[in-house]
Amino acid sequence: MCIRDSYWNDLNSPPTLHTPLEDVSSKECCFLHDLAIHPAYQNLRAPRALLQALKNAIGEGTSCSLVAVNGSEGYWERYGFRVQPCSEDILRTYAPNSKYMCCNKLS
């Protein structure tokens, strides 16, 4: 179980894959790029503990976003993430049927 990559990003859209990141001067949103939780731990309290640790690290009230792939949006909805409008051109760089999701308050 680990967060391999995360960075500050604009809340309105995820970055396009395989392109240089833009300089984001505001700490508006923490974008989770690589987050992995072993299937054996997904039904325990591990995901909630990992998100709590993230919330402690980035600060209370900071928004968080991710791109859900492989039909995982229902999983992330359990933790307060909601599907947001996003450019299909950007989402296609991740995987077919990807969804951009944001959480204004990690739970």
Side-chain angles (χ1 to χ4, degrees), residues 9 18-19 26 28 35 42 51 59 80 90 95 99 104-105:
N9 193 57
H18 313 297
T19 60
S26 70
E28 183 179 31
L35 178 86
Q42 289 178 3
L51 291 172
I90 292 174
K99 305 288 184 197
N104 290 331
K105 186 176 181 183

Side-chain angles (χ1 to χ4, degrees), residues 72-83:
S72 63
E73 58 269 13
Y75 179 82
W76 292 110
E77 285 174 344
R78 292 189 300 202
Y79 298 99
F81 287 85
R82 299 292 176 252
V83 174

Side-chain angles (χ1 to χ4, degrees), residues 1 3 17 31-32 52 56 71 75 85 88 101 106:
M1 161 175 76
I3 296 174
L17 280 184
F31 179 76
L32 298 176
Q52 182 62 48
N56 292 343
Y75 179 82
E88 289 297 321
M101 302 184 78
L106 291 173

Side-chain angles (χ1 to χ4, degrees), residues 31-79:
F31 179 76
L32 298 176
H33 178 67
D34 284 327
L35 178 86
I37 300 171
H38 190 280
Y41 296 96
Q42 289 178 3
N43 291 325
L44 303 174
R45 294 182 184 227
R48 192 166 305 282
L50 185 61
L51 291 172
Q52 182 62 48
L54 175 65
K55 182 167 95 172
N56 292 343
I58 66 175
E60 192 81 32
T62 302
S63 295
C64 194
S65 65
L66 54 84
V67 174
V69 296
N70 302 322
S72 63
E73 58 269 13
Y75 179 82
W76 292 110
E77 285 174 344
R78 292 189 300 202
Y79 298 99

